[in-house]
Amino acid sequence: MKQSEFTKINFIKGQLKAISKSVHTVFCFFLLQIIFYEDRNFQGRSYECMSDCSDMSTYLSRCTSCRVESGCFMVYDRPNYMGNQYFLRRGEYSDYNSFGMSDSIRSCRLIPQHRGTYRMRIYERENFQGQSHELMEDCDNIQDRYRMSDCQSCNVMDGHWLMYEQPHYRGRMMYMRPGEYRSMRDMGYSGMRLCSARRIMDSC
């Protein structure tokens, strides 16, 4: 077989691989789904959700259990994506206590699939002031690794992240999608100290 034919075959293989990856991404996006139920153990009225929902009371009087059919979601104990946040991956949650929530689910946000690099710059003080460092992988203890006294603002350039108020991915969490976060206080988390960060790498 001639060199030109090998080159052509390799080119076609590369194109098919790229198309396959694109189809898989689109397929996953349209299948992301979570089903909410009014009562425990998946009983009562239900609501199937495939996107963000700022106020669950629009569809259900309360929400005490859910089933993630595919993808990942953040759920919140207050409307408009406020209050305590909880990360849910594919699985069944027979009541909100099973993942640490103490009240009904009030809003939810879909976490898009991400394939590529992860980059986030963290800052010691609000408004991107003080010492700063760039993260491209998980960090189980920001203060120890970078000798930062605090972490009060960040800029997420690539990927989706979870940040935690305690080292080793413990305590309250916060979902960070691409964008600028100038102050924890402005986001309704006054006094919260961010101590660890993890990339959201779950696939559908």
Side-chain angles (χ1 to χ4, degrees):
M1 189 178 290
K2 296 180 180 180
Q3 181 63 37
S4 60
E5 292 176 330
F6 273 118
T7 302
K8 185 180 293 185
I9 289 172
N10 287 332
F11 174 77
I12 293 172
K13 284 182 178 179
Q15 292 294 98
L16 289 174
K17 187 175 182 180
I19 292 171
S20 176
K21 184 179 289 187
S22 298
V23 170
H24 180 265
T25 300
V26 172
F27 181 72
C28 285
F29 178 80
F30 284 106
L31 278 185
L32 300 180
Q33 183 183 55
I34 184 171
I35 305 173
F36 297 101
Y37 300 85
E38 282 190 332
D39 301 323
R40 287 179 170 82
N41 298 312
F42 321 113
Q43 300 297 309
R45 292 172 58 220
S46 65
Y47 166 59
E48 296 183 9
C49 182
M50 299 177 68
S51 61
D52 296 349
C53 178
S54 62
D55 190 350
M56 294 297 299
S57 65
T58 305
Y59 305 98
L60 301 173
S61 61
R62 62 186 178 279
C63 179
T64 55
S65 61
C66 63
R67 179 181 287 117
V68 180
E69 297 289 341
S70 60
C72 299
F73 292 80
M74 294 300 295
V75 295
Y76 304 76
D77 60 10
R78 289 172 55 192
N80 299 311
Y81 321 114
M82 300 296 289
N84 293 315
Q85 309 181 22
Y86 303 87
F87 174 70
L88 302 182
R89 54 171 56 90
R90 185 176 181 178
E92 297 186 342
Y93 304 87
S94 58
D95 67 73
Y96 52 72
N97 297 128
S98 64
F99 51 86
M101 182 176 275
S102 59
D103 200 357
S104 177
I105 299 169
R106 304 292 183 183
S107 55
C108 83
R109 198 185 285 282
L110 179 152
I111 301 175
Q113 298 284 311
H114 175 75
R115 297 182 183 279
T117 59
Y118 287 75
R119 287 195 311 136
M120 171 170 61
R121 180 161 287 278
I122 56 175
Y123 297 82
E124 200 168 25
R125 299 200 298 271
E126 295 180 345
N127 296 310
F128 315 125
Q129 299 296 311
Q131 186 183 166
S132 71
H133 293 279
E134 185 170 299
L135 304 183
M136 297 185 69
E137 57 184 21
D138 299 349
C139 179
D140 64 358
N141 195 320
I142 291 171
Q143 283 69 29
D144 282 358
R145 181 177 298 183
Y146 299 110
R147 297 294 184 263
M148 292 176 66
S149 61
D150 206 344
C151 177
Q152 285 296 313
S153 57
C154 68
N155 180 15
V156 179
M157 288 86 84
D158 295 301
H160 298 258
W161 299 72
L162 288 176
M163 298 197 73
Y164 299 79
E165 67 173 345
Q166 296 177 22
H168 307 293
Y169 321 117
R170 301 179 65 182
R172 289 183 299 170
M173 66 181 71
M174 182 180 294
Y175 167 48
M176 302 291 200
R177 55 186 183 173
E180 295 184 343
Y181 301 85
R182 293 182 171 274
S183 169
M184 297 301 105
R185 184 177 62 252
D186 292 346
M187 296 173 61
Y189 295 92
S190 180
M192 183 173 178
R193 186 186 188 196
L194 301 175
C195 294
S196 52
R198 172 177 279 168
R199 297 162 295 170
I200 300 176
M201 303 182 70
D202 298 64
S203 59
C204 65

